[in-house]
Amino acid sequence: FMPLAFGAVEPWSEEIVLALAAALCVCFLVKRLVSHECAMEWNWAYVPVIAFLLVVVLQLIPLPGALVRMASPHTESLKSELLGDLPNASRVLSYLTFSFYAYATRHDLRIALAVAAVFVVVLNVYRRPGQIKRLLGAIALIGGFCALVALAQTLLGSTRIYGLVPLPEEGIARSGPFVNHSHYGQFMNLSIGAALG
């Protein structure tokens, strides 16, 4: 769903992704309760995912200003400069977060948690070689479709995604169904890896 819905960068598509990830987790947990064949097992692939999520959570935790100054002096000095003229500046600056925009960090954490949940479910459900090959094949097919859309956009000089939706910025659409060309590039890398796999 995510690649075909503009890379899931629009609020409506993000909500659908969150709902689908939650539904996937609920289905997995129900299957796990009903069937003993679907046991959750430890895998070292969880380590980088957990580490990444912990780094994001750490950015949201208000820490003493002195600790932030030790870990990231520039963050503390810039926040002091920007917030120093507030009436309650000493109270505000006594505890700081590493994040400059906690709302956006929380937003991105929700998306990262949804993706991590899907990763955990896939890792625990797709175990047989046939299942894994079908999953890789599906990713490669979706990537191939996205590449064909991008090729058609380039050849036709289209300024719209799917020929219908205008780009947020002026220019020729060259990223298939994605709004962001970097997201398109990352998905193509994933698709090429899936095709090789």
Side-chain angles (χ1 to χ4, degrees):
F1 171 78
M2 291 174 76
L4 304 178
F6 312 120
V9 295
E10 301 287 329
W12 65 268
S13 58
E14 289 177 356
E15 289 301 318
I16 292 172
V17 167
L18 293 173
L20 289 173
L24 189 66
C25 288
V26 168
C27 290
F28 175 69
L29 292 174
V30 168
K31 181 178 180 181
R32 202 168 159 228
L33 291 173
V34 173
S35 171
H36 298 293
E37 297 173 6
C38 189
M40 192 165 167
E41 294 181 16
W42 170 255
N43 192 311
W44 283 101
Y46 297 145
V47 173
V49 174
I50 292 169
F52 177 78
L53 292 173
L54 288 176
V55 167
V56 176
V57 168
L58 178 65
Q59 293 179 34
L60 291 169
I61 298 173
L63 299 170
L67 183 62
V68 173
R69 187 179 314 112
M70 280 179 21
S72 180
H74 189 66
T75 297
E76 190 274 336
S77 67
L78 187 57
K79 283 191 174 195
S80 295
E81 179 185 330
L82 295 173
L83 302 173
D85 59 349
L86 290 175
N88 57 351
S90 60
R91 189 176 59 78
V92 170
L93 295 172
S94 63
Y95 280 89
L96 300 171
T97 62
F98 287 111
S99 174
F100 275 84
Y101 189 31
Y103 173 79
T105 306
R106 281 191 299 275
H107 167 270
D108 291 347
L109 177 60
R110 281 192 302 272
I111 299 297
L113 284 170
V115 172
V118 171
F119 177 75
V120 169
V121 170
V122 168
L123 203 58
N124 283 282
V125 172
Y126 285 80
R127 295 180 181 211
R128 294 190 305 272
Q131 292 174 314
I132 295 169
K133 287 178 184 176
R134 283 192 299 277
L135 178 63
L136 293 174
I139 294 169
L141 282 173
I142 294 167
F145 173 77
C146 292
L148 288 175
V149 170
L151 179 64
Q153 288 171 333
T154 302
L155 292 175
L156 298 173
S158 177
T159 59
R160 297 175 174 266
I161 299 172
Y162 296 125
L164 304 170
V165 181
L167 292 170
E169 299 172 8
E170 290 187 31
I172 296 176
R174 292 189 169 98
S175 302
F178 288 85
V179 172
N180 186 311
H181 67 88
S182 296
H183 296 171
Y184 170 73
Q186 288 297 319
F187 186 70
M188 286 295 102
N189 287 336
L190 171 74
S191 301
I192 291 168
L196 291 173

